[in-house]
Amino acid sequence: MIRTVSGKASGGSINIGIMFGGKSAEHEVSCISALSIVNNIDREKYNPVLIGITKTGQFKYYNSDLEHLKNGCWEDHASSAKVDLLGADGSVAIYDTEKIILDCIFPVLHGPFGEDGKLQGILEYAQIPYVGCGVLASALCMDKAIAKEIFDSQSIPQARYVIFQQDESLDVLREKLSDFSFPVFVKPANMGSSVGITKVTDMSQLEAAVLEAMKFDRKIVVEEGIDAREIEVAVFQNGKETIVSEPGELMVNDDFYAYDTKYKKNNTTWQIPADLPAEISQEIKQIAKEVFDLMNCRGISRVDFFVDRKSKKIFLNEINTLPGFTEISMYPKLLNHVGISYQNIISGLIDLAMEDYEQKR
């Protein structure tokens, strides 16, 4: 039941606006993440209110069948109610048959226009509590090129990489890669879920890979490939402490962990905790916490690593400020292993968002 009164929450009932969809190529993944949150949120404490963002950037109140979030046709069943995100009358609200005031926003938008600080800036302007990292951390972590340069400044180990801009000549990129070992991975700088990434095994494949990445961004990152195990760590703040999970390992039965591998083929397995020597696991956790603090993150992040199969050397891959919340996502699985349920993750993030908002006020 959604509270539809003109005042703020009372009697422990809090309206949580769950924002999903968005303009990025990760729209469909976001819808599934939102469905998982609705299915697991504590209904005794919170009233979930779904706000979908179409691929053209329109905000829609969604109060129809949840199955449409899975099959991709939610927009056809969305309400025509007005969504006032800028709080024109002093409150963020939905104007349906009655006014629904939102007490906190839980953004579950992956990629550009949701995870990159743009939405967070709107929510700051609207003066409403919201889950997750703030404007600066979201923007810095989303831009892989900027993030890598920050990590370099702190001597955090990474795979070799170069940054390439749209207005540069392809010959410039070839020159930058002249002493790299193949394969290399060509990525859009601002994207997630492995969208737009190509594994390149020789120079003849480079141009096509660059053109694919440029569909999603004007700036790309090219990384030298590592024969490595893929390790992930969840970082979670509940207001009292910062919890770093034990490392988990993704075992990919494919050429690499591409978008289709993650969400369509269902041929990836995981092991939690990863079978790693204790000292390597501890170092990974320390780096994860260091990176989380360095980038000024709040509440939630997943930090991804490579561990070289031969040398056992650790390389930071990236940090994700709004990791997937689907039923197959590693973030809730990692935290569940250390005794934090999916429901408690959601509650902890909301509580922290509201506490942080009150402190800022």
Side-chain angles (χ1 to χ4, degrees):
M1 178 66 69
I2 292 173
R3 179 174 53 84
T4 56
V5 296
S6 58
K8 280 290 179 183
S10 61
S13 180
I14 302 171
N15 280 345
I16 306 298
I18 300 172
M19 302 187 69
F20 67 93
K23 295 173 68 175
S24 89
E26 298 177 77
H27 180 103
E28 287 77 14
V29 180
S30 172
C31 294
I32 304 302
S33 289
L35 177 61
S36 297
I37 291 172
V38 172
N39 287 337
N40 287 278
I41 197 168
D42 185 351
R43 297 298 184 101
E44 295 294 319
K45 293 177 66 176
Y46 309 115
N47 296 316
V49 182
L50 283 162
I51 302 170
I53 304 175
T54 70
K55 292 183 178 180
T56 58
Q58 294 177 297
F59 288 75
K60 302 274 190 180
Y61 171 44
Y62 188 76
N63 60 350
S64 188
D65 192 336
L66 294 176
E67 283 299 309
H68 296 313
L69 296 179
K70 275 200 276 188
N71 59 31
C73 64
W74 71 268
E75 188 179 338
D76 297 333
H77 304 273
S79 167
S80 59
K82 177 187 174 184
V83 178
D84 179 13
L85 196 62
L86 292 179
D89 67 349
S91 61
V92 175
I94 294 166
Y95 294 84
D96 196 20
T97 53
E98 295 183 80
K99 181 179 177 182
I100 307 169
I101 292 177
L102 301 178
D103 301 303
C104 181
I105 298 292
F106 198 130
V108 62
L109 295 119
H110 311 304
F113 300 98
E115 192 175 351
D116 59 359
K118 295 183 177 72
L119 176 63
Q120 288 75 14
I122 293 172
L123 298 175
E124 291 280 354
Y125 185 85
Q127 298 185 70
I128 184 170
Y130 62 92
V131 164
C133 296
V135 177
L136 179 63
S138 299
L140 291 177
C141 294
M142 188 71 222
D143 191 316
K144 294 181 179 68
I146 298 296
K148 285 182 176 297
E149 291 178 333
I150 294 173
F151 301 149
D152 267 352
S153 74
Q154 301 300 307
S155 301
I156 296 171
Q158 304 176 86
R160 294 177 69 197
Y161 69 93
V162 297
I163 299 167
F164 181 70
Q165 304 280 353
Q166 189 177 42
D167 58 359
E168 292 184 273
S169 162
L170 198 62
D171 288 335
V172 171
L173 180 58
R174 291 191 180 103
E175 178 62 28
K176 289 180 177 180
L177 296 174
S178 60
D179 65 340
F180 273 50
S181 298
F182 283 82
V184 297
F185 290 86
V186 179
K187 309 177 177 184
N190 290 274
M191 190 53 68
S193 291
S194 300
V195 173
I197 296 180
T198 304
K199 181 180 180 180
V200 173
T201 57
D202 60 61
M203 282 289 189
S204 67
Q205 301 172 350
L206 187 62
E207 183 175 6
V210 168
L211 291 173
E212 176 64 19
M214 288 290 182
K215 292 177 183 178
F216 303 97
D217 201 351
R218 293 177 295 178
K219 178 170 61 176
I220 66 173
V221 175
V222 183
E223 295 177 355
E224 190 171 50
I226 301 172
D227 181 17
R229 298 165 64 181
E230 298 205 26
I231 306 296
E232 298 185 352
V233 172
V235 185
F236 171 69
Q237 285 180 322
N238 61 6
K240 300 174 184 176
E241 58 182 333
T242 301
I243 297 167
V244 181
S245 76
E246 293 300 316
E249 180 173 9
L250 286 167
M251 286 159 284
V252 182
N253 186 24
D254 213 332
D255 199 26
F256 71 100
Y257 200 34
Y259 181 91
D260 284 359
T261 308
K262 289 181 179 181
Y263 301 112
K264 295 181 180 180
K265 293 183 179 179
N266 195 28
N267 61 351
T268 300
T269 57
W270 55 85
Q271 182 173 342
I272 304 172
D275 184 13
L276 293 168
E279 62 273 15
I280 291 180
S281 291
Q282 187 58 34
E283 185 178 352
I284 287 171
K285 292 172 68 174
Q286 288 174 351
I287 296 173
K289 177 64 165 57
E290 179 184 351
V291 168
F292 185 87
D293 292 338
L294 173 67
M295 304 302 273
N296 197 35
C297 294
R298 181 190 71 180
I300 176 174
S301 287
R302 194 193 71 234
V303 191
D304 300 346
F305 294 87
F306 298 125
V307 175
D308 189 284
R309 293 184 188 278
K310 293 181 180 178
S311 69
K312 308 297 188 244
K313 186 176 179 180
I314 298 165
F315 297 90
L316 174 65
N317 180 16
E318 63 183 18
I319 179 169
N320 297 272
T321 57
L322 275 175
F325 265 81
T326 71
E327 297 297 336
I328 64 169
S329 296
M330 279 288 278
Y331 186 83
K333 290 182 183 297
L334 288 164
L335 290 177
N336 184 253
H337 179 77
V338 294
I340 306 171
S341 69
Y342 199 133
Q343 185 177 97
N344 286 339
I345 297 169
I346 297 167
S347 297
L349 291 172
I350 293 170
D351 291 347
L352 177 64
M354 300 185 79
E355 290 168 12
D356 187 66
Y357 174 76
E358 289 301 323
Q359 288 177 2
K360 281 196 268 186
R361 289 184 66 193

